[in-house]
PDB file of all heavy atoms in Angstrom:
ATOM      1  N   GLY A  15      -8.098 -13.357  18.161  1.00 38.00           N
ATOM      2  CA  GLY A  15      -6.702 -13.635  17.753  1.00 38.00           C
ATOM      3  C   GLY A  15      -6.119 -12.477  17.076  1.00 38.00           C
ATOM      4  O   GLY A  15      -4.966 -12.581  16.684  1.00 38.00           O
ATOM      5  N   TYR A  19       0.115 -11.996  17.993  1.00 70.00           N
ATOM      6  CA  TYR A  19       1.569 -11.829  18.045  1.00 70.00           C
ATOM      7  C   TYR A  19       1.864 -10.736  19.078  1.00 70.00           C
ATOM      8  O   TYR A  19       2.783 -10.922  19.896  1.00 70.00           O
ATOM      9  CB  TYR A  19       2.122 -11.506  16.682  1.00 70.00           C
ATOM     10  CG  TYR A  19       2.415 -12.663  15.811  1.00 70.00           C
ATOM     11  CD1 TYR A  19       2.057 -12.624  14.530  1.00 70.00           C
ATOM     12  CD2 TYR A  19       3.168 -13.785  16.332  1.00 70.00           C
ATOM     13  CE1 TYR A  19       2.292 -13.752  13.684  1.00 70.00           C
ATOM     14  CE2 TYR A  19       3.390 -14.871  15.546  1.00 70.00           C
ATOM     15  CZ  TYR A  19       2.992 -14.838  14.153  1.00 70.00           C
ATOM     16  OH  TYR A  19       3.278 -15.924  13.387  1.00 70.00           O
ATOM     17  N   ARG A  37      10.446 -18.159  20.675  1.00 86.00           N
ATOM     18  CA  ARG A  37      10.135 -19.651  20.498  1.00 86.00           C
ATOM     19  C   ARG A  37       8.695 -19.881  20.590  1.00 86.00           C
ATOM     20  O   ARG A  37       8.136 -20.615  19.850  1.00 86.00           O
ATOM     21  CB  ARG A  37      10.960 -20.467  21.488  1.00 86.00           C
ATOM     22  CG  ARG A  37      12.295 -20.934  20.816  1.00 86.00           C
ATOM     23  CD  ARG A  37      13.217 -21.433  21.929  1.00 86.00           C
ATOM     24  NE  ARG A  37      14.406 -20.622  21.890  1.00 86.00           N
ATOM     25  CZ  ARG A  37      15.325 -20.632  22.845  1.00 86.00           C
ATOM     26  NH1 ARG A  37      15.188 -21.397  23.934  1.00 86.00           N
ATOM     27  NH2 ARG A  37      16.411 -19.808  22.743  1.00 86.00           N
ATOM     28  N   ASP A  61      -6.104 -28.128  -6.838  1.00 46.00           N
ATOM     29  CA  ASP A  61      -4.708 -28.300  -7.135  1.00 46.00           C
ATOM     30  C   ASP A  61      -4.533 -29.009  -8.434  1.00 46.00           C
ATOM     31  O   ASP A  61      -3.712 -28.632  -9.267  1.00 46.00           O
ATOM     32  CB  ASP A  61      -4.004 -29.098  -5.999  1.00 46.00           C
ATOM     33  CG  ASP A  61      -2.712 -28.430  -5.618  1.00 46.00           C
ATOM     34  OD1 ASP A  61      -2.524 -27.233  -5.817  1.00 46.00           O
ATOM     35  OD2 ASP A  61      -1.838 -29.284  -5.217  1.00 46.00           O
ATOM     36  N   ALA A  84       5.707 -20.066 -19.094  1.00 56.00           N
ATOM     37  CA  ALA A  84       5.893 -19.324 -17.933  1.00 56.00           C
ATOM     38  C   ALA A  84       7.314 -18.776 -17.803  1.00 56.00           C
ATOM     39  O   ALA A  84       8.222 -19.510 -17.825  1.00 56.00           O
ATOM     40  CB  ALA A  84       5.509 -20.173 -16.690  1.00 56.00           C
ATOM     41  N   ARG A 130       5.604   0.873  27.609  1.00 71.00           N
ATOM     42  CA  ARG A 130       5.870   0.031  26.420  1.00 71.00           C
ATOM     43  C   ARG A 130       4.630  -0.808  26.078  1.00 71.00           C
ATOM     44  O   ARG A 130       4.359  -0.990  24.908  1.00 71.00           O
ATOM     45  CB  ARG A 130       7.105  -0.924  26.754  1.00 71.00           C
ATOM     46  CG  ARG A 130       7.345  -1.842  25.635  1.00 71.00           C
ATOM     47  CD  ARG A 130       8.365  -2.964  25.957  1.00 71.00           C
ATOM     48  NE  ARG A 130       9.712  -2.400  26.110  1.00 71.00           N
ATOM     49  CZ  ARG A 130      10.733  -3.110  26.594  1.00 71.00           C
ATOM     50  NH1 ARG A 130      10.434  -4.333  27.112  1.00 71.00           N
ATOM     51  NH2 ARG A 130      12.017  -2.656  26.534  1.00 71.00           N
TER      52      ARG A 130
ATOM     53  N   THR B  34      16.025  -1.695  24.028  1.00 70.00           N
ATOM     54  CA  THR B  34      16.568  -2.623  24.951  1.00 70.00           C
ATOM     55  C   THR B  34      17.580  -3.597  24.326  1.00 70.00           C
ATOM     56  O   THR B  34      18.703  -3.767  24.862  1.00 70.00           O
ATOM     57  CB  THR B  34      15.423  -3.580  25.491  1.00 70.00           C
ATOM     58  OG1 THR B  34      14.245  -2.786  25.588  1.00 70.00           O
ATOM     59  CG2 THR B  34      15.835  -4.226  26.749  1.00 70.00           C
ATOM     60  N   ARG B  68       3.655 -22.951 -13.166  1.00 74.00           N
ATOM     61  CA  ARG B  68       4.026 -24.286 -13.648  1.00 74.00           C
ATOM     62  C   ARG B  68       3.529 -25.394 -12.773  1.00 74.00           C
ATOM     63  O   ARG B  68       3.872 -26.562 -12.918  1.00 74.00           O
ATOM     64  CB  ARG B  68       5.569 -24.392 -13.643  1.00 74.00           C
ATOM     65  CG  ARG B  68       6.198 -23.618 -14.794  1.00 74.00           C
ATOM     66  CD  ARG B  68       7.668 -23.585 -14.763  1.00 74.00           C
ATOM     67  NE  ARG B  68       8.169 -22.655 -15.739  1.00 74.00           N
ATOM     68  CZ  ARG B  68       9.399 -22.355 -15.878  1.00 74.00           C
ATOM     69  NH1 ARG B  68      10.350 -22.855 -15.071  1.00 74.00           N
ATOM     70  NH2 ARG B  68       9.779 -21.477 -16.785  1.00 74.00           N
ATOM     71  N   TYR B  71       2.827 -25.696  -6.797  1.00 75.00           N
ATOM     72  CA  TYR B  71       2.112 -25.057  -5.650  1.00 75.00           C
ATOM     73  C   TYR B  71       2.469 -25.707  -4.367  1.00 75.00           C
ATOM     74  O   TYR B  71       2.833 -25.001  -3.372  1.00 75.00           O
ATOM     75  CB  TYR B  71       0.618 -25.202  -5.968  1.00 75.00           C
ATOM     76  CG  TYR B  71      -0.285 -24.731  -4.931  1.00 75.00           C
ATOM     77  CD1 TYR B  71      -0.310 -23.429  -4.610  1.00 75.00           C
ATOM     78  CD2 TYR B  71      -1.201 -25.528  -4.389  1.00 75.00           C
ATOM     79  CE1 TYR B  71      -1.142 -22.934  -3.599  1.00 75.00           C
ATOM     80  CE2 TYR B  71      -2.124 -25.094  -3.413  1.00 75.00           C
ATOM     81  CZ  TYR B  71      -2.010 -23.774  -3.035  1.00 75.00           C
ATOM     82  OH  TYR B  71      -2.952 -23.414  -2.160  1.00 75.00           O
ATOM     83  N   ARG B  72       2.453 -27.032  -4.291  1.00 78.00           N
ATOM     84  CA  ARG B  72       2.721 -27.738  -3.047  1.00 78.00           C
ATOM     85  C   ARG B  72       4.173 -27.562  -2.566  1.00 78.00           C
ATOM     86  O   ARG B  72       4.441 -27.360  -1.399  1.00 78.00           O
ATOM     87  CB  ARG B  72       2.452 -29.225  -3.270  1.00 78.00           C
ATOM     88  CG  ARG B  72       0.955 -29.468  -3.448  1.00 78.00           C
ATOM     89  CD  ARG B  72       0.749 -30.847  -3.852  1.00 78.00           C
ATOM     90  NE  ARG B  72      -0.676 -30.944  -4.229  1.00 78.00           N
ATOM     91  CZ  ARG B  72      -1.403 -32.032  -4.083  1.00 78.00           C
ATOM     92  NH1 ARG B  72      -0.858 -33.227  -3.717  1.00 78.00           N
ATOM     93  NH2 ARG B  72      -2.627 -32.094  -4.503  1.00 78.00           N
ATOM     94  N   GLY B 143      -3.551 -12.168  11.980  1.00 37.00           N
ATOM     95  CA  GLY B 143      -2.230 -12.757  12.420  1.00 37.00           C
ATOM     96  C   GLY B 143      -1.467 -11.798  13.351  1.00 37.00           C
ATOM     97  O   GLY B 143      -0.526 -12.118  14.046  1.00 37.00           O
TER      98      GLY B 143
END
Side-chain angles (χ1 to χ4, degrees):
Chain A
Y19 275 132
R37 263 164 246 168
D61 220 28
R130 180 190 284 168
Chain B
T34 324
R68 287 174 189 175
Y71 178 60
R72 292 172 189 205

